[in-house]
Amino acid sequence: MINAVLVFNNAGQPRLTKFYTQLETSVQQRLISEIFTLVSNRPSGSCNFLPLPPLLASSGTSHTSSSEHNDTPSLVTYRHYATLYFIIISTSTESPLALIDLIQVYVEALDRLFENVCELDLIFNFETLHTTLSEMIVGGVVIETQLEKVVEGVKAQGKVAKRPVNEGRGGGGLGMSMGGNFVGWAGR
């Protein structure tokens, strides 16, 4: 099960925080801070999976003591693209490689919806960001991973912004700042 999806910029400012597990606000805030620090300080050649810090793994969840260990959040999976970190917190029952692919599909969908997405698109058009995520994950369960279906679902809901932010920016998107395609960049 997916417990949370987080998107941060390089300065640690959250651009998306979506929790699928009931947590106290104070635990969410500490988790957001700890996860960013943990992920941003990793060397560039490091693996994109790591164990969840004890903060969430041991407290704040809505599970009872009789819950199975596999239901407890325990894994952080992330990808770093240009100025953004895309992070998924999940249980040990989720495949880390499948989560890396899920992040890739999410980023590719945003790139198609915004035609060369940049951080400002995510700030000013957060509805599209959330709608795209809800086409892929509902209640912590992945329901769709086919890129075309995700993009069409968002478009069918009419949640794609008109993009006044991007007009005339001349290729200043995340992909151009890396000298290549945003979604093709492997990051860390």
Side-chain angles (χ1 to χ4, degrees), residues 17-30:
T17 56
K18 177 66 176 173
F19 286 88
Y20 298 100
T21 302
Q22 191 82 17
L23 297 175
E24 295 176 14
T25 304
S26 63
V27 174
Q28 284 182 7
Q29 291 171 345
R30 286 187 316 192

Side-chain angles (χ1 to χ4, degrees), residues 27 30-39 50-59 72-76 89:
V27 174
R30 286 187 316 192
L31 176 70
I32 288 169
S33 175
E34 275 193 37
I35 293 293
F36 174 74
T37 301
L38 186 67
V39 169
L50 56 148
L52 187 66
L55 170 71
L56 183 65
S58 63
S59 67
T72 304
S74 59
L75 180 67
V76 175
I89 300 170

Side-chain angles (χ1 to χ4, degrees), residues 114 120-129 161-163 165:
F114 289 112
L120 287 177
D121 289 322
L122 306 186
I123 294 168
F124 292 110
N125 304 299
F126 63 89
E127 300 91 357
T128 304
L129 188 67
K162 298 297 179 216
R163 304 175 23 128
V165 170

Side-chain angles (χ1 to χ4, degrees), residues 20-184:
Y20 298 100
T21 302
Q22 191 82 17
L23 297 175
E24 295 176 14
T25 304
S26 63
V27 174
Q28 284 182 7
Q29 291 171 345
R30 286 187 316 192
L31 176 70
I32 288 169
S33 175
E34 275 193 37
I35 293 293
F36 174 74
T37 301
L38 186 67
V39 169
S40 65
N41 289 332
R42 290 181 53 92
S44 61
S46 297
C47 177
N48 291 61
F49 329 114
L50 56 148
L52 187 66
L55 170 71
L56 183 65
S58 63
S59 67
T61 62
S62 62
H63 303 293
T64 64
S65 58
S66 64
S67 291
E68 300 238 348
H69 183 271
N70 288 343
D71 289 342
T72 304
S74 59
L75 180 67
V76 175
T77 305
Y78 71 96
R79 300 272 316 254
H80 185 210
Y81 296 93
T83 63
L84 297 170
Y85 289 91
F86 291 78
I87 302 165
I88 295 178
I89 300 170
S90 67
T91 61
S92 62
T93 57
E94 293 292 331
S95 163
L97 294 175
L99 295 176
I100 288 288
D101 285 343
L102 183 66
I103 292 170
Q104 182 70 25
V105 170
Y106 185 50
V107 170
E108 285 186 41
L110 293 173
D111 200 48
R112 285 197 187 177
L113 291 164
F114 289 112
E115 300 169 13
N116 195 15
V117 67
C118 75
E119 187 176 349
L120 287 177
D121 289 322
L122 306 186
I123 294 168
F124 292 110
N125 304 299
F126 63 89
E127 300 91 357
T128 304
L129 188 67
H130 284 276
T131 302
T132 306
L133 187 62
S134 69
E135 283 292 316
M136 299 176 69
I137 303 169
V138 173
V141 177
V142 177
I143 59 166
E144 186 60 68
T145 59
Q146 290 185 345
L147 179 60
E148 296 302 324
K149 287 185 178 182
V150 171
V151 171
E152 288 306 313
V154 174
K155 287 180 178 179
Q157 292 184 46
K159 296 293 184 180
V160 180
K162 298 297 179 216
R163 304 175 23 128
V165 170
N166 291 335
E167 291 177 3
R169 81 174 159 186
L174 294 174
M176 292 307 205
S177 66
M178 296 179 299
N181 186 317
F182 174 57
V183 294

